[in-house]
Amino acid sequence: MIAAGEGEREHGDDEQSVERMFECQEVPPWTQQLTLRSLVVSAILGFFLSFIVMKLNLTAGIIPSLNVSAGLLGFFMVKTWTKLLDKTGLLNQPFTRQENTVIQTCVVACSGIAFSGGFGSYILGMSKKVADQFGEADNGVNMKEPSLGWLICFLLVVSFVGLFSVVPLRKIMIIAYKLTYPSGTATAHLINSFHTPQGALLARKQVSLLFKTFGASFIWAMFQWFYTASDGCGFVSFPTFGLQAYENRFYFDFSATYVGVGMICPYIINISLFIGSIISWGILWPYIRGKQGVWFDASLPESSLHGLNGYKVFISIAMILGDGLFHFLLVFFRSSYDMYNKRQRKDTTIPFADATALVGPCLSFDDRRRSNVFVKDQIPTAVAIAGYVLFAVISVIAVPFIFPQLKFYHIIVAYFIAPVLAFCNSYGCGLTDWSLASSYGKLAIFIFGAWIGMDHGGVLAGLASCGVMMSIVSTASDLMQDLKTGYLTLSSPRSMFVSQVIGTAMGCVIAPSVFWIFYSAFDLGSETSGYPAPYAKVYRGIAILGVEGLSALPKYCLNFCAVFFFLSFAINGLKEAAKYKNWKIYSYIPSAMGMAIPFYLGSYFTIDMCVGSLILYLWERADKRHATVFAPAVASGLICGDGIWSLPASLLSLAKVQPPICMKFLSRADNDKVDAFLSG
């Protein structure tokens, strides 16, 4: 298998050619790439992966790429399907890499709505439960309780616009500018490798290992459930490093999900998370808590923004905004510089020339074949423009009915800005693999929240506009990633676009339904529950800050925010300078965003992820090649098994079936009191 992340060879030798291996295979027409079985498999996988993404969204908010899982499971399910039909003599169409790519695209589009739909961020941030924890802007005009009906309608209205916004630019970005789109390229290499004899054998071994770890993770999650009869019970509340450390959220909670996430995330990300948890929960919060009664009123409730909770929320927001602004400026200037250089070359006319001019004799065999297929099935520009205008008009009419705080002219302004931001995000993602959808969403919160004002529902309007903007820029960059995957697997752009549309439509129904199961079964947004949804509070805090300004901050909080904002900027600047200068320290500079995440949530999940890193490190020391090939499958199995247990756990909760045992841990003094009470 070709290692994930390896870039496309633009002028590779024919001896290294990927397409030479598939030269004897005819490329099926786009209608045969988009099959009924591919859509059935996509719907099944999309549903289960939406559960996993939703659980990650509502716990720590860290979501790794599940492309490996989708690719492996899609390959396994259709391969099994075709084998059974072949034995019965009913197989009419073989399973191709193009159909595999369609499944991958549809599944990722479907499960992607569980993230870009903002269920763990701006949607939950609108709710009364989260608003009550802030104690500000908790009036009716700045709150809206989630319900299945308006969630589905809202997503159906706003999720398709981004798909049409960048379609006319696909040949420019992928063929003319040769943007890498690292995740899309890595996924294409994975799919291509599956459909070679050696790759198919390796894929079967990976799937076998994935299912074994899936079963073990599922059983472990089920076993833990029996000991969680109340809040603070079970292995998830095990005081690994003592009760004092547990009070400051330093403990290992035996989560297979975040051990698996730790195996997928780079080492430096996991270390950054741990460093952030030490700075915040080990040093900063205990220090500020000691100022209780001096810096803030000691009688304030724990959730008040004018108390310790305000420092937690706004300092983490400052770091996140600093990181987001840095990367926004970095991608903007890098993209502008890259485009300027391309326009200065002699071939600057290529992006605006006829499609056939993009395919020249100077290209390698792989590039010629891929480019010929890519320009063959056209998606008319008129269709893209008409689709964008149609869905924009529908949004202008429908969104104000769902959110009366947003007027039709607010939506018109958003849709005038959106294509530019969608292009910027798609171009930057092609260069760096960074999608800045959440950064654009936060920008929309500030702009529209301040425009509308507190008295007219600026907090709710800011959160809703965040949803509009995030949906557009996120789906646009996702489509370009998938088109890059299709380019490298000889999949028709038309089949890719249609599968993206179908997957998005599936996600607009599946993701809200999955969220509604969680919302009905669990206590979402509460710090004491298993689903604290930290980003819901962060996004609502940003909305309040955008409407109220700096008056919302407690004493000295602005000073801390400024320090950590510029610290985030400085860390990112140092990291980019080290990367540019090729300094060895680049690999050891932490991620500012990674450091910011545990500031509000705590350090327990960072310990889980560091355990995952330790497992991977020891595995690589023992057998690096084996670890490189099989670690993603093991990690995916751990994530999927624990995540899928959320489905039966939700159904048990809805049926009022409670776990039979509460396993709690007490200090010796508390235990003596309990014993005395029971014996008395």
Side-chain angles (χ1 to χ4, degrees), residues 58-72:
L58 295 170
T59 49
I62 300 172
I63 303 171
S65 172
L66 296 175
N67 286 3
V68 172
S69 306
L72 275 173

Side-chain angles (χ1 to χ4, degrees), residues 39 213 339 345 462 518 545 597:
L39 297 181
T213 52
M339 292 180 70
R345 295 173 188 165
F518 278 91
L545 186 62
I597 291 172

Side-chain angles (χ1 to χ4, degrees), residues 215-238:
S217 177
F218 185 88
I219 292 170
W220 172 240
M222 181 174 64
F223 174 76
Q224 289 187 80
W225 176 83
F226 286 94
Y227 298 90
T228 56
S230 181
D231 289 340
C233 298
F235 289 90
V236 294
S237 301
F238 191 92

Side-chain angles (χ1 to χ4, degrees), residues 193-205:
S193 70
F194 286 164
H195 292 268
T196 62
Q198 301 87 350
L201 177 62
L202 184 59
R204 282 197 292 272
K205 293 179 180 178

Side-chain angles (χ1 to χ4, degrees), residues 266-423:
Y267 291 124
I268 192 60
I269 295 296
N270 297 331
I271 296 299
S272 301
L273 290 163
F274 190 63
I275 291 171
S277 64
I278 292 174
I279 292 173
S280 55
W281 290 89
I283 301 171
L284 194 58
W285 305 154
Y287 172 76
I288 295 176
R289 187 179 287 113
K291 299 295 183 179
Q292 192 173 13
V294 180
W295 287 3
F296 56 92
D297 190 346
S299 64
L300 288 171
E302 189 73 21
S303 61
S304 173
L305 278 182
H306 295 288
L308 178 60
N309 193 50
Y311 295 91
K312 294 179 183 178
V313 170
F314 290 117
I315 292 175
S316 62
I317 287 173
M319 287 200 74
I320 291 170
L321 290 178
D323 182 270
L325 180 61
F326 179 89
H327 283 101
F328 174 80
L329 295 174
L330 176 69
V331 171
F332 175 78
F333 286 118
R334 184 180 292 177
S335 301
S336 301
Y337 181 72
D338 185 73
M339 292 180 70
Y340 173 78
N341 284 339
K342 286 180 170 68
R343 296 290 293 272
Q344 294 302 308
R345 295 173 188 165
K346 292 181 181 180
D347 61 349
T348 54
T349 57
I350 284 180
F352 307 99
D354 184 78
T356 55
L358 299 171
V359 185
C362 60
L363 299 175
S364 67
F365 175 80
D366 281 8
D367 283 339
R368 284 198 307 274
R369 193 173 189 215
R370 289 165 177 168
S371 298
N372 278 317
V373 171
F374 195 74
V375 300
K376 180 182 176 183
D377 289 327
Q378 297 295 316
I379 303 172
T381 302
V383 172
I385 295 173
Y388 186 87
V389 172
L390 175 64
F391 280 101
V393 169
I394 293 172
S395 296
V396 168
I397 297 170
V399 171
F401 277 100
I402 301 172
F403 300 102
Q405 294 83 351
L406 282 173
K407 306 303 179 185
F408 72 93
Y409 48 85
H410 297 137
I411 310 301
I412 291 173
V413 169
Y415 281 130
F416 268 114
I417 300 171
V420 178
L421 299 183
F423 169 76

